[in-house]
Amino acid sequence: MSEIDKTSKVWYLIMSKPRQESLANDNLLRQGYEVYMPMLSVTRRRRGRYVDIIEPAFPRYLFIRLDQDTDNWAPIRSTYGVSGMVYFGFIPAQIPDELVEILKSRETEEGVLEFTTPELREGDKVRIIDGVFSGYEGIFKTKSRKERVTILLEATGKIMNLDLDVHQISLAS
C-alpha cells in the first residue's frame, strides 16, 4: 500500500439526533471536520396551503470525511446534535466517494439538490397522493391553471373530471 492510500480520507455516515441535522453539521464544521449534508427542496402542506421548504435530503443523516489513521474520531460522538456514527457490526458505514460526487453534481448554486420531475402528458396514469381521493388512480387530462390539473377519475361507475392541486398527484408506476 502506498503512502497516499494510507492517508486517504473516506466518507462515513453519521446519525444526528431527531431534527438536529443542522446543529450537528455546524458543530462538526466548527471543529474542523469535512461534513456534507445534502439539502432538498420539497413541497409540504402547511395550514391548508402548499409551500416549498428546504430540508435535509436524508433526515437524521450526514456524511463526514475522515482519515482512519490520522483524524481524531473521539469528539464526534460527543458533538451537540450528533447521536453517533453508523456502524455495520463493528465497522463504520463507509459511503462511496462517487455517491457524494453525484449528489454534489446535482446541487444548484444555492446548495440544494435538483431533480427533474417528468412532465405529465395527456393520457398518463397518475395516482392521487393527498386529499379525499388519496389512493385512487386516474388519467391525466390537462394542466388547467397555474398549480392546478384536471384528471379523469372513475368513481361509482362514472367517469368524472376532477380538478386538483398539482401537488396532490404523482405519476403512477
Side-chain angles (χ1 to χ4, degrees), residues 36-42 53-55 100-116:
Y36 178 56
M37 182 176 64
M39 301 300 282
L40 188 63
S41 177
V42 294
I53 59 171
I54 296 173
E55 63 183 28
V100 175
E101 289 170 19
I102 289 168
L103 290 171
K104 285 183 175 186
S105 73
R106 293 190 175 186
E107 286 182 347
T108 63
E109 289 179 12
E110 294 80 29
V112 178
L113 290 174
E114 183 176 65
F115 294 99
T116 56

Side-chain angles (χ1 to χ4, degrees), residues 42-44 49-52 127-130 147-149 164-170:
V42 294
T43 303
R44 297 267 188 240
R49 298 182 59 190
Y50 290 96
V51 293
D52 292 328
R127 175 173 286 115
I128 302 172
I129 56 173
D130 188 27
E147 302 286 318
R148 302 296 289 179
V149 294
L164 298 169
D165 191 287
V166 70
H167 303 293
Q168 289 182 281
I169 64 169
S170 69

Side-chain angles (χ1 to χ4, degrees), residues 48-112:
R49 298 182 59 190
Y50 290 96
V51 293
D52 292 328
I53 59 171
I54 296 173
E55 63 183 28
F58 307 106
R60 294 201 62 193
Y61 293 98
L62 301 117
F63 302 104
I64 187 166
R65 195 165 190 199
L66 299 167
D67 185 304
Q68 193 167 8
D69 298 320
T70 60
D71 285 329
N72 184 2
W73 293 38
I76 296 170
R77 68 177 172 261
S78 60
T79 299
Y80 287 116
V82 173
S83 180
M85 297 284 295
V86 176
Y87 286 88
F88 296 130
F90 297 105
I91 302 168
Q94 291 187 4
I95 307 301
D97 286 342
E98 296 79 25
L99 174 63
V100 175
E101 289 170 19
I102 289 168
L103 290 171
K104 285 183 175 186
S105 73
R106 293 190 175 186
E107 286 182 347
T108 63
E109 289 179 12
E110 294 80 29
V112 178

Side-chain angles (χ1 to χ4, degrees), residues 131-148:
V132 177
F133 293 101
S134 182
Y136 283 91
E137 290 188 355
I139 305 296
F140 179 78
K141 185 175 177 185
T142 185
K143 189 167 183 171
S144 54
R145 301 186 303 273
K146 182 182 179 189
E147 302 286 318
R148 302 296 289 179

